Amino acid sequence: MSEPQPVVPAVVPAVVPAQWRVVLNGGGEYSIWRTDRELPAGWRAEGTSGARERCLARIQEVWADPRPAGPRRSAARGPGAADDSVADVVGRQARRVPGAVAVRGEGFALSFGALDAVSNRWARYLRSLGVGRGALVGVLLGRGAELHAVTLGVWKAGAGCVPLDPDFPAARLTALLADTGARLLVTEVAYGPDGFGGQIRYVDDPEVRGALARHRDGPLAGAPDPLDAAYVTQVPGAAGRPPAVAVTHRGLAHHMAWAARELTGADGGGTAVFAPVAGELAVTGLWAPLWAGQRVLLAPRALDLAELGGWLTAAGPFAFLTLTPGHLDLLVRQLGDAGSAATALTFVIAGGAPGPAAARLAGLLAPGRVRTAYGTAEISYGTFLTPVQPGTDTDTDTDTDTDTESRVLDTSVVPGGDTALRVLDGACLPVPDGAVGELYVAGPGVARGYVGRAALTARRFVPDPCGPPGTRMHRTGQLARRTAAGEVRLVGRTDREVWSRGHRADPAETEEALYDHPSVAEAVVIGVQAAPGDARLTAYVVPRPGAQGLDAVALVAHCRRRLPAHLVPASLTLVDEVPRDADGRVERSALPEPHRRGARDSSGGRASRRRALLGGYDLAELLAAHRVPGACVAVVDDGGLVAVEAAGSDGAGRPITPRTAFPVGELSRYVATLGALRLMDEGLLPPDAGIARTGDTPLTLADLLDRRRDGAGPAPAADAGGEAFGPLMRRLVLGPLGLDDSGFGGPPPRTNGRSGAPLAGVGHDATGRALDGDQRALDPAELWTTAADLAEVALEIRRSVLGAPLALLGRATAARMLAPRAREPGTVRTGRGPGSGGLGGPGGPGSRDGRATRVDVDAVGSDMEFGYEAAPPGYYAASMLCLRAGRGLVVLANGRAGDRVCGEIEARLKSRTPNGGQASARR
């Protein structure tokens, strides 16, 4: 018998990691290239080679670029040269058609000649402040008259522009300014963020206006260098702080020249811009029409998207409109297919895959007039387009995952201008037709790179082996395949990036913000499609061991203070653990259904009902009829805020706006009670704790709920755990609900990069006469709030009573706020229903202006209505809501006769509401 033979293991070839080397071109731009590949023309080896990480570390060490200023051009340019900048072309249009309208917006219109002259003044003024080539200037402006003039002035001064979004948190804005090295910020008084260490100039400062007027408005010598940065735009970052892309004048001009040829047409019309002006999607609309000598129409800053269709119809038709899929869907719901098609000749759907509305619209227009656009700052906002096919349901699931087997977009794209698309493998070699590779974009629109992030630039901007010597191409992170017919079709992403609310978003940024919270052990954020081409971020959080009472609402507020709105989770669920497979990847199918907060969303179906809800009255006429100087009205329907209307004056010569804050007197108490009940829910405040006073007599939470004593001050006088009352209420109620325009003692001075809401500081009696003296001293226990914010308080009480996920209060605790109470013998009821209770009952000696504060809780059929009504001296405040239907009204006025205005509005709304279901506080 033969002996057993030893088992010889099979020889498995070792996987040898790819080796890389550091390379650079004649312009001093660095990148990395595989050692087993021949160097592309125009590139040479620096001398460092080895692992990718080693090469990237070397580049970070030796490369100070990409800077805002590039190498100087070697030759002077003549008129019409290929390196014309946007500023050059707008200046030529000013000489060609000086009187034609260039930019129009709310309350202003600038001709091409005026725009050129004002921007020249700004350029000279900025130069007097030391701004020149290589500098970066932050521009934090809304859709106002100064936006284009300031930006052109920055470019003419030789500097680059850092566009900033006024709606971003102040911390985010100051971090971006610090990361880019910007030392000057041009903004408005209402927007200037705290914490910026450089110079700030306010466009609405009389001293700045005076300085501008002293400068000449004639042409300046010199022109922007084509290799210098025109824009430095922040983009999503998978880890660490988000990078900022330096877009050159050459790249920006290349894209605008193409867009003007392709989109503006010969018949004019220009376009309308209603997106955030600092976003990637707005750039084409801001400058392509001006390049073609056409107008740019800027939407009013307070434009309600419920009126988008009517506004576009009145101002159009336009040559083209750039919309997100959500905006287009909203437009079609408001105007119908035919009405929407009449607003523009061409529609560009950007920021995600289009939906059925785009396909229907394409059937009404000429072929190619409805297109999807894919373009980012890394390619100078350059667009590669694909026509939407008529009648094709393009509602594709764009949920992304780290798994490359996620659902296929299968969308073909066509490059614009001189842009080239390449589908390559990991070695930058073309993949066979039909195979999936990564999409690279080459051409004159490729950006300089990420400012101050040399290694990241080298990783994402690599040598172009097929282009002119020394040129680069950008790795997009987009997976694609090339068909046998030569089409490039998108099929997913290599990363987790999604489009959310018209912005590119990386869930990793939200995860990082959650990890900053001391009670978070693990956070997973995914994108869930909310509409065609639009994802919402859903967060799952594992509490740290030993963390007590981790509050999901507080976690969302924690994110809101750090992140722009599109990165704040739309839902957040606390879980014991995150389910993962054997490879450690998150098992999305095993995650629980997300808990969703009732977010304000004016782009949904609620907003489309605004006209019907507000069509029954004219607020200005009602104010004049009842001698009320000013008022603001908020309408709620289906559990959400759908309309805010303001009219009149604050009594001191300023118009009432949706952000004007009014005092609400005794209603302050009910917001404070909401906070006190949160403390009781958390076991930090017993029901018999003294939280307010009636003179020298303590008032307990139970007293406040049962109204056993009247005349208490409007808010607790005591603090909790040593925390002052105002900050405590912001932490417990105002902050978690995002009530940035509200505050006890007056609105906060600055929140989220904006100034505090203006105060309606002058009250008026029933005849409309202004009260003498300072009638509204800022009592620290008085709530100053807006109609929109007060509506959110009522909606939160509703959510809590209905037991909605992530509500501020538990259901049982919240029910105490609306529980009916028995009347004392001999008392007179103020309500009509079966019982006013909870926070109800007549006001007592503490009631202001001799009026009772009323809180009514009535049964209406199978539903329940609750409402608050108060009359501080010279003012009026009312909040009313139907519990299950989620329908209600808030009225704030700076005149004592506001109750009559409220009564008429309520009656007219009720007559237009099905089943007469409008809530009522006036019994």
Side-chain angles (χ1 to χ4, degrees):
M1 189 166 97
S2 61
E3 296 182 358
Q5 299 296 313
V7 177
V8 179
V11 178
V12 178
V15 177
V16 179
Q19 295 295 296
W20 300 82
R21 51 183 160 178
V22 176
V23 297
L24 70 160
N25 61 13
E29 295 169 323
Y30 283 75
S31 190
I32 56 174
W33 194 250
R34 288 174 63 118
T35 57
D36 58 354
R37 292 285 313 281
E38 181 181 354
L39 276 178
W43 291 84
R44 62 181 176 84
E46 178 266 352
T48 304
S49 61
R52 184 200 301 263
E53 290 70 21
R54 180 174 186 270
C55 293
L56 292 176
R58 174 63 176 170
I59 291 174
Q60 188 67 40
E61 176 187 350
V62 301
W63 192 22
D65 234 340
R67 298 172 184 169
R72 288 195 177 274
R73 57 186 182 272
S74 57
R77 296 174 298 161
D83 277 335
D84 278 342
S85 69
V86 171
D88 293 333
V89 174
V90 173
R92 285 207 297 273
Q93 295 291 4
R95 294 187 290 274
R96 186 180 69 87
V97 286
V101 173
V103 183
R104 185 186 298 276
E106 188 175 22
F108 75 91
L110 284 174
S111 67
F112 276 94
L115 175 61
D116 189 52
V118 175
S119 64
N120 288 338
R121 292 183 187 275
W122 268 105
R124 290 188 167 89
Y125 174 63
L126 292 171
R127 284 182 177 177
S128 73
L129 300 177
V131 172
R133 187 167 188 257
L136 288 177
V137 177
V139 177
L140 178 59
L141 298 171
R143 295 188 290 261
E146 299 84 6
L147 176 65
H148 284 81
V150 170
T151 304
L152 286 170
V154 170
W155 292 340
K156 291 179 179 182
C161 173
V162 183
L164 301 169
D165 193 323
D167 289 329
F168 278 21
R172 180 84 166 209
L173 298 177
T174 53
L176 177 56
L177 290 168
D179 287 347
T180 58
R183 302 307 304 159
L184 175 66
L185 173 65
V186 179
T187 184
E188 301 174 50
V189 172
Y191 295 149
D194 295 325
F196 176 58
Q199 300 182 71
I200 301 181
R201 293 296 183 270
Y202 299 99
V203 297
D204 45 358
D205 184 341
E207 291 187 10
V208 173
R209 293 184 181 276
L212 285 172
R214 291 191 290 272
H215 286 283
R216 294 189 300 110
D217 61 6
L220 281 79
D225 192 291
L227 298 181
D228 287 358
Y231 273 126
V232 174
T233 303
Q234 192 174 53
V235 297
R241 68 186 191 277
V245 179
V247 178
T248 66
H249 285 284
R250 174 179 290 170
L252 182 65
H254 170 263
H255 172 53
M256 292 308 153
W258 170 85
R261 291 192 306 269
E262 194 73 15
L263 300 176
T264 57
D267 297 331
T271 194
V273 175
F274 45 89
V277 294
E280 294 171 286
L281 299 186
V283 175
T284 302
L286 289 174
W287 299 109
L290 299 185
W291 186 287
Q294 299 179 15
R295 61 164 178 160
V296 174
L297 181 64
L298 298 176
R301 301 181 187 185
L303 176 68
D304 188 335
L305 289 181
E307 296 183 344
L308 178 63
W311 180 77
L312 290 174
T313 299
F318 299 95
F320 74 97
L321 287 174
T322 300
L323 308 97
T324 66
H327 282 148
L328 180 63
D329 185 62
L330 174 64
L331 186 65
V332 170
R333 288 205 306 270
Q334 291 175 353
L335 301 180
D337 292 346
S340 300
T343 59
L345 181 62
T346 298
F347 293 83
V348 179
I349 315 303
R360 296 199 307 272
L361 199 62
L364 299 176
L365 297 171
R369 308 321 297 175
V370 181
R371 311 181 185 187
T372 56
Y374 299 85
T376 64
E378 286 91 342
I379 51 175
S380 301
Y381 320 102
T383 307
F384 36 105
L385 298 172
T386 181
V388 175
Q389 298 303 315
T392 301
D393 186 352
T394 55
D395 184 4
T396 309
D397 188 348
T398 57
D399 267 9
T400 62
D401 199 352
T402 53
D403 189 350
T404 58
E405 296 177 358
S406 57
R407 295 194 181 188
V408 171
L409 291 173
D410 203 26
T411 302
S412 64
V413 292
V414 180
D418 299 327
T419 301
L421 306 182
R422 315 197 196 288
V423 183
L424 309 176
D425 61 14
C428 288
L429 292 170
V431 300
D433 289 347
V436 174
E438 186 171 357
L439 182 67
Y440 289 69
V441 177
V446 173
R448 287 183 60 78
Y450 303 104
V451 173
R453 308 286 287 276
L456 182 60
T457 299
R459 187 172 184 175
R460 306 298 299 182
F461 293 83
V462 299
D464 182 7
C466 302
T471 56
R472 300 175 303 159
M473 54 186 179
H474 169 60
R475 294 180 59 188
T476 65
Q478 186 78 54
L479 293 173
R481 61 183 176 87
R482 190 180 295 276
T483 68
E487 283 187 323
V488 174
R489 305 188 72 86
L490 306 182
V491 297
R493 291 198 61 85
T494 63
D495 53 26
R496 302 167 59 195
E497 189 175 288
V498 297
W499 282 94
S500 177
R501 303 180 185 180
H503 296 266
R504 282 197 292 160
D506 194 309
E509 290 188 56
T510 306
E511 290 174 353
E512 185 174 356
L514 288 168
Y515 276 115
D516 283 342
H517 194 283
S519 296
V520 172
E522 186 177 8
V524 171
V525 180
I526 60 176
V528 175
Q529 183 169 316
D534 191 16
R536 291 293 186 267
L537 299 185
T538 299
Y540 295 88
V541 171
V542 178
R544 193 177 293 279
Q548 298 295 323
L550 183 60
D551 190 334
V553 175
L555 283 177
V556 173
H558 166 86
C559 291
R560 189 178 289 117
R561 290 190 293 270
R562 289 161 172 78
L563 299 170
H566 65 277
L567 290 174
V568 175
S571 69
L572 191 148
T573 305
L574 299 177
V575 295
D576 294 331
E577 64 177 352
V578 174
R580 298 183 181 274
D581 61 19
D583 295 326
R585 295 180 298 183
V586 176
E587 290 189 293
R588 296 182 58 165
S589 61
L591 289 169
E593 285 295 314
H595 290 166
R596 303 185 183 278
R597 285 192 59 79
R600 309 180 199 183
D601 187 357
S602 60
S603 65
R606 300 171 185 158
S608 64
R609 295 192 292 274
R610 180 180 186 272
R611 250 190 235 97
L613 291 168
L614 292 185
Y617 67 86
D618 183 286
L619 182 57
E621 291 180 1
L622 289 179
L623 296 182
H626 296 293
R627 298 182 180 180
V628 176
C632 190
V633 178
V635 177
V636 171
D637 191 30
D638 194 24
L641 182 65
V642 296
V644 181
E645 185 175 3
S649 165
D650 68 350
R654 294 168 301 194
I656 297 292
T657 75
R659 293 191 60 226
T660 300
F662 296 77
V664 295
E666 300 293 318
L667 267 66
S668 306
R669 179 186 310 178
Y670 309 111
V671 178
T673 303
L674 192 59
L677 286 172
R678 287 204 72 195
L679 293 176
M680 190 180 81
D681 250 0
E682 297 169 4
L684 301 177
L685 183 70
D688 58 354
I691 62 167
R693 296 185 181 280
T694 302
D696 295 330
T697 306
L699 184 75
T700 69
L701 178 59
D703 290 334
L704 192 60
L705 286 169
D706 296 336
R707 291 293 304 194
R708 289 196 291 260
R709 297 182 190 167
D710 294 316
D719 58 13
E723 190 172 358
F725 172 70
L728 176 66
M729 289 299 107
R730 178 147 295 281
R731 177 173 68 82
L732 293 174
V733 180
L734 305 181
L737 294 182
L739 308 185
D740 295 335
D741 293 331
S742 300
F744 283 88
R750 294 189 190 280
T751 306
N752 289 341
R754 303 181 304 175
S755 67
L759 299 178
V762 180
H764 301 74
D765 63 17
T767 67
R769 180 178 60 87
L771 299 183
D772 295 332
D774 184 8
Q775 297 293 327
R776 299 308 311 167
L778 298 185
D779 183 344
E782 174 91 275
L783 177 68
W784 288 73
T785 186
T786 64
D789 279 3
L790 198 58
E792 289 296 330
V793 173
L795 287 170
E796 185 59 30
I797 294 174
R798 172 183 181 265
R799 295 184 66 257
S800 297
V801 172
L802 296 179
L806 299 187
L808 284 184
L809 299 179
R811 190 170 188 173
T813 304
R816 299 189 63 176
M817 298 189 72
L818 304 181
R821 70 178 177 91
R823 286 180 288 122
E824 299 292 336
T827 59
V828 178
R829 274 181 46 196
T830 59
R832 237 182 355 166
S836 298
L839 296 176
S847 298
R848 301 176 185 265
D849 203 24
R851 291 270 301 168
T853 298
R854 298 205 309 241
V855 181
D856 299 322
V857 182
D858 287 353
V860 179
S862 61
D863 208 336
M864 176 189 290
E865 295 178 350
F866 65 93
Y868 312 150
E869 184 181 24
Y875 291 84
Y876 173 80
S879 171
M880 51 208 81
L881 187 65
C882 194
L883 185 66
R884 291 184 176 83
R887 187 177 301 119
L889 177 69
V890 171
V891 177
L892 300 179
N894 62 345
R896 174 59 195 81
D899 57 347
R900 296 197 289 270
V901 173
C902 179
E904 287 203 39
I905 294 174
E906 181 187 359
R908 299 188 191 193
L909 287 180
K910 189 172 182 179
S911 68
R912 291 173 174 265
T913 304
N915 304 320
Q918 178 64 48
S920 175
R922 298 176 53 80
R923 308 302 183 196

